[in-house]
Amino acid sequence: MDAETQTLTGKERYKSGVLKYKQMGYWEPDYEPKDTDLIACFRITPQDGVDPVEAAAAVAGESSTATWTVVWTDRLTAAEKYRAKAYRVDPVPNSSDQYFAYIAYDLDLFEPGSIANLTASIIGNVFGFKPLKGLRLEDMRLPTAFVKTFQGPATGIVVERERLDKFGRPLLGATVKPKLGLSGRNYGRVVYEALKGGLDFTKDDENINSQPFMDWRERFLYCMEAVNKAQAATGEIKGTYLNVTAATMEDMYERAEFAAELGSNIVMIDLVIGWTAIQSMAKWARRNNMILHLHRAGHSTYTRQKNHGVSFRVIAKWARLAGVDHIHAGTVVGKLEGDPATTRGYYDVCRNEFTEKRLENGLFFDQPWASLNKMMPVASGGIHAGQMHQLIDLLGEDVVLQFGGGTIGHPMGIAAGATANRVALECMIMARNEGRDIVNEGPDILNEAAKSCTPLKQALDTWKDVTFNYASTDTPDYAVTATAA
Ligand SMILES: O=C(COP(=O)(O)O)[C@H](O)[C@H](O)COP(=O)(O)O
Ligand SMILES: [Mg+2]
């Protein structure tokens, strides 16, 4: 080890001036993370000529206690404990300028139960640090001691199924379209048709709040009338995610309380409201026996590119701590970004009791969930009935499959679109339960069912060739056989 890599101590450490972060103690290659440490894995792209180990130490420093120069006031603290420690730097496979840096943080650096505080450290200053061309938070290991300080999902998958009286199959939903412009009354008609036709849920889109064409109260009143009528018509429990996203917490509470007063079983928020607002709404949802749906609006601005930002698997972990019940987590086959292996990792974060490290799915750490409820992943974006076998195979059973265009765009109308999806789902679940190979026989199973279901036949004819085959940007860096880390 050269002198520059060694942590300086005593007078040498505290001489005024600028030391390398490695020398300030932010690089400890022998460090063994404690069970109670938070661990982050960052992808770092150092500027040309910057040593990757110094870059990793700088990330550890700037995301914990350091500044750019030595400060004597460190000596008034338990600085050795509070310094985050970069302890491992691996080159990213198949890349010449990127590295995975592992950094351990002492539990005492964080306020219990606060995503705002966690994120202010881990993604606070450090993403703008000049010696790095790019920085991405790939994954975090949240220790049990930290997980236990959070409420977790307000309702959870098990209780959601019990409240809705729906078991053994994915739930079906649809986003009302067009996203903007419908009046309350016409909006309610879409909800009624879709629910009566066979869906379990409808939902507001991310950008429906309270615009001049439809006040939020109008929407809530007509939507709940539609839910009640559809329940009466079908004898099934139905729901519609009423989006309570608004400019202030006070407005959101007012809208959520009105939704509860009208008997809604679910409300919705957008990721853009921020972590503190999400945690507040999760507490409200638990107090009010409400399922809480999170639409991940805005996430792609920072999750999609591999060289800079925050992986969605980390956002999913924070959302589970924060306490939402549903989270949009990708479809693989639909219109929006979603590599199959990466998406599998997100779904595991939502639904596992314990998420195992699997590098081929982008999961860098074992993650205990300490009995926090599970989140229902939501698959939404450009999917249709003809993909039912692929969706069930890829995403499993505890998932909401959401067909917006794939319900409302049906040639015979919304109720027919909903019926097509419900029949496609039920015939595929029956085939799966009978032990059939749905991946290969899926199209035949659908065509067979379509013989006695005209809406399904029309859906298959309309959308049979629609696929979105583009290369994914966010793919895992390790192959299935990888043993590294
Ligand atoms: O409006 C839609 C889908 O409409 P449609 O079903 O008509 O395509 C949702 O906003 C996206 O699914 C969000 O994306 P994600 O689920 O990836 O966050
Ligand atoms: Mg949308």
Side-chain angles (χ1 to χ4, degrees):
M1 195 188 277
D2 64 73
E4 285 203 340
T5 347
Q6 234 148 18
T7 302
L8 298 176
T9 51
K11 278 189 182 159
E12 288 304 307
R13 167 71 172 75
Y14 289 101
K15 240 193 253 166
S16 287
V18 179
L19 283 181
K20 292 201 176 302
Y21 286 85
K22 292 184 290 199
Q23 298 171 308
M24 289 199 271
Y26 297 100
W27 169 242
E28 270 199 42
D30 302 328
Y31 185 72
E32 296 243 348
K34 294 182 289 197
D35 285 349
T36 52
D37 284 348
L38 278 83
I39 310 174
C41 175
F42 288 95
R43 177 194 301 260
I44 53 177
T45 313
Q47 295 278 11
D48 298 343
V50 172
D51 163 26
V53 169
E54 173 62 7
V59 171
E62 291 291 334
S63 61
S64 61
T65 54
T67 186
W68 57 276
T69 184
V70 172
V71 292
W72 69 268
T73 37
D74 270 353
R75 302 189 99 166
L76 301 177
T77 70
E80 288 76 18
K81 171 178 164 161
Y82 295 141
R83 265 177 223 145
K85 295 152 187 81
Y87 64 92
R88 170 176 189 158
V89 175
D90 294 342
V92 171
N94 307 316
S95 124
S96 55
D97 62 346
Q98 297 184 357
Y99 301 84
F100 289 128
Y102 292 76
I103 298 174
Y105 299 81
D106 192 274
L107 185 59
D108 283 358
L109 293 172
F110 305 100
E111 177 172 343
S114 169
I115 304 285
N117 179 250
L118 172 71
T119 51
S121 275
I122 306 290
I123 59 168
N125 283 340
V126 65
F127 280 67
F129 198 51
K130 275 185 178 167
L132 303 172
K133 280 188 205 159
L135 180 65
R136 187 183 203 225
L137 179 55
E138 288 288 340
D139 200 1
M140 291 194 79
R141 195 282 304 265
L142 306 154
T144 303
F146 188 64
V147 173
K148 266 296 186 196
T149 65
F150 287 86
Q151 167 192 287
T155 310
I157 292 181
V158 173
V159 174
E160 171 168 354
R161 284 194 175 282
E162 289 183 347
R163 285 201 197 146
L164 299 173
D165 193 29
K166 299 183 199 311
F167 307 95
R169 63 164 175 84
L171 305 179
L172 281 180
T175 315
V176 173
K177 304 285 173 173
K179 301 213 255 201
L180 299 174
L182 291 169
S183 68
R185 190 179 160 116
N186 283 332
Y187 199 94
R189 286 169 61 184
V190 176
V191 170
Y192 174 69
E193 292 285 320
L195 296 178
K196 188 193 66 170
L199 302 188
D200 306 304
F201 284 131
T202 47
K203 83 179 277 289
D204 293 341
D205 220 332
E206 68 281 349
N207 51 359
I208 271 284
N209 293 166
S210 193
Q211 282 101 324
F213 53 80
M214 179 172 56
D215 183 86
W216 66 272
R217 281 185 203 77
E218 286 292 295
R219 184 168 87 258
F220 285 20
L221 285 166
Y222 280 110
C223 281
M224 288 314 298
E225 181 187 33
V227 167
N228 291 334
K229 282 188 175 163
Q231 291 188 142
T234 60
E236 295 183 348
I237 298 174
K238 306 285 185 183
T240 194
Y241 321 160
L242 297 170
N243 191 354
V244 301
T245 297
T248 67
M249 248 359 263
E250 292 74 22
D251 290 336
M252 289 208 284
Y253 285 135
E254 185 191 358
R255 294 177 194 190
E257 270 152 26
F258 191 52
E261 215 176 284
L262 294 176
S264 183
N265 49 24
I266 184 161
V267 295
M268 158 180 165
I269 48 176
D270 285 325
L271 181 62
V272 289
I273 67 174
W275 291 107
T276 297
I278 292 172
Q279 285 196 261
S280 291
M281 285 308 302
K283 289 193 172 164
W284 180 91
R286 171 125 345 143
R287 279 199 306 277
N288 288 276
N289 307 317
M290 193 70 85
I291 302 166
L292 184 61
H293 176 94
L294 179 76
H295 194 115
R296 58 177 175 170
H299 81 97
S300 296
T301 54
Y302 50 89
T303 61
R304 189 172 180 193
Q305 299 302 328
K306 279 187 8 177
N307 59 348
H308 194 78
V310 181
S311 160
F312 186 72
R313 76 185 65 86
V314 176
I315 301 298
K317 285 188 175 180
W318 293 345
R320 187 161 172 187
L321 296 181
V324 302
D325 290 309
H326 285 188
I327 186 168
H328 286 237
T331 60
V332 182
V333 294
K335 70 182 178 186
L336 301 166
E337 168 72 20
D339 170 74
T342 308
T343 305
R344 160 90 197 269
Y346 306 157
Y347 274 64
D348 284 355
V349 164
C350 296
R351 300 187 296 200
N352 287 167
E353 272 167 40
F354 180 94
T355 305
E356 269 174 38
K357 174 172 114 182
R358 264 201 330 277
L359 295 173
E360 67 270 27
N361 297 119
L363 300 166
F364 285 77
F365 306 105
D366 283 348
Q367 176 59 57
W369 286 109
S371 302
L372 250 51
N373 284 337
K374 298 172 185 174
M375 285 189 299
M376 186 80 91
V378 176
S380 169
I383 55 176
H384 57 82
Q387 297 159 325
M388 197 58 84
H389 52 298
Q390 296 168 306
L391 291 166
I392 293 172
D393 174 59
L394 289 161
L395 310 177
E397 192 169 285
D398 280 331
V399 58
V400 186
L401 302 177
Q402 231 157 239
F403 306 83
T407 300
I408 294 148
H410 191 282
M412 294 310 288
I414 302 161
T419 303
N421 287 318
R422 180 72 176 264
V423 171
L425 175 70
E426 299 218 349
C427 75
M428 206 54 69
I429 289 291
M430 196 197 295
R432 185 205 63 177
N433 293 353
E434 287 168 356
R436 290 178 70 181
D437 169 7
I438 61 167
V439 177
N440 291 307
E441 294 176 43
D444 296 339
I445 295 164
L446 289 172
N447 287 328
E448 192 57 35
K451 285 185 188 156
S452 55
C453 177
T454 306
L456 179 55
K457 168 127 193 24
Q458 290 163 328
L460 297 177
D461 288 346
T462 307
W463 292 309
K464 61 178 175 300
D465 296 326
V466 177
T467 52
F468 298 90
N469 287 329
Y470 298 96
S472 296
T473 50
D474 191 7
T475 48
D477 293 279
Y478 292 101
V480 178
T481 49
T483 49

